[in-house]
Amino acid sequence: MLSRIAAAIVPSLGHLTTTSDEEAAPAPGSIVVANHTSLIDPGIVLAALLRHGVEPVVLATAGLWRIPVLRPLLVRGGHVPVHRGSVRAAESLNEAATALRSGRTVLIYAEGGLPPRKDSAEAAPERFRSGLARLALAADAPVVPLGQAGARRVVSGGAVKQIAGLLTAPARRPRLHVHFGSPVRLPDDIPAATAAAHRAVTAAWRTAAAQLGETAGTTV
């Protein structure tokens, strides 16, 4: 349901295009890991995935389950709340691994937060946390690196700027791009796997940013 809502809304906010290193959609039981630059980019990623026929289980901050409008949609879709910094933090990886073993695709954001910059330019992926690598190892799942660019043109900066960006986006129609990299198998070593995943997502992000002519796409 969330994917279909995103697919209906995103075209009104900007012009979304996608590219891929592979002809096929992410295989069932894959982990899609995306860079996180804006509050709006999960919707953009969901809309792009649906174009490939994929409606993933999303690992998202548990606070979203406290929003009355969102909670029933999250529960119905089988999405997984992440309780960071609590004794329940490991539960999210167990639930995600179960979803992967059942053939669902799982979408995860490995950075654990948004970049600190306030302007609308692209920002390279921040350092990854280890949860992605631990999930891939536990479920023996391939990882599909996804790079998205342009979301910061819709929403970025402080609260007032974000609201203004969202309200003016339908008139501005900024370009948005999502690039799917080739699936990778991460090594068993968690630090090495985390670093490998970060490199793969950064490469996918560079491709997406280059599609929009973002100079940040060629820098770290």
Side-chain angles (χ1 to χ4, degrees):
M1 180 64 73
L2 275 183
S3 295
R4 297 183 184 278
I5 292 173
I9 293 174
V10 167
S12 70
L13 299 177
H15 180 62
L16 175 62
T17 53
T18 67
T19 50
S20 176
D21 288 342
E22 301 285 324
E23 292 185 5
S30 297
I31 303 170
V32 175
V33 56
N35 64 308
H36 195 21
T37 60
S38 166
L39 291 175
I40 203 70
D41 66 56
I44 294 169
V45 170
L46 288 176
L49 281 166
L50 189 59
R51 291 187 178 184
H52 291 260
V54 177
E55 295 187 59
V57 169
V58 183
L59 272 75
T61 180
L64 295 177
W65 272 253
R66 294 195 291 269
I67 301 175
V69 175
L70 274 179
R71 180 179 175 83
L73 298 175
L74 293 166
V75 172
R76 187 184 310 171
H79 303 294
V80 178
V82 179
H83 301 271
R84 292 193 181 96
S86 75
V87 294
R88 301 178 59 190
E91 293 179 9
S92 61
L93 295 185
N94 292 335
E95 291 183 43
T98 298
L100 287 165
R101 295 187 190 104
S102 72
R104 295 292 302 272
T105 300
V106 167
L107 171 62
I108 186 171
Y109 288 87
E111 293 162 271
L114 292 168
R117 66 189 302 165
K118 300 298 184 182
D119 61 16
S120 60
E122 283 299 309
E126 299 284 325
R127 182 178 179 181
F128 279 7
R129 301 186 182 216
S130 64
L132 164 65
R134 290 185 283 122
L135 176 60
L137 179 61
D140 189 27
V143 171
V144 177
L146 182 152
Q148 60 77 28
R152 294 180 64 81
R153 297 177 177 183
V154 180
V155 170
S156 60
V160 173
K161 184 182 177 183
Q162 290 188 46
I163 294 171
L166 195 60
L167 292 176
T168 60
R172 294 184 291 111
R173 295 203 39 84
R175 293 175 59 209
L176 315 167
H177 193 82
V178 171
H179 180 76
F180 296 88
S182 297
V184 296
R185 284 281 180 178
L186 300 182
D188 291 343
D189 179 73
I190 298 300
T194 301
H198 185 272
R199 287 194 299 270
V201 173
T202 299
W205 165 75
R206 290 186 194 281
T207 299
Q211 289 287 326
L212 303 184
E214 285 276 2
T215 55
T218 59
T219 62
V220 175

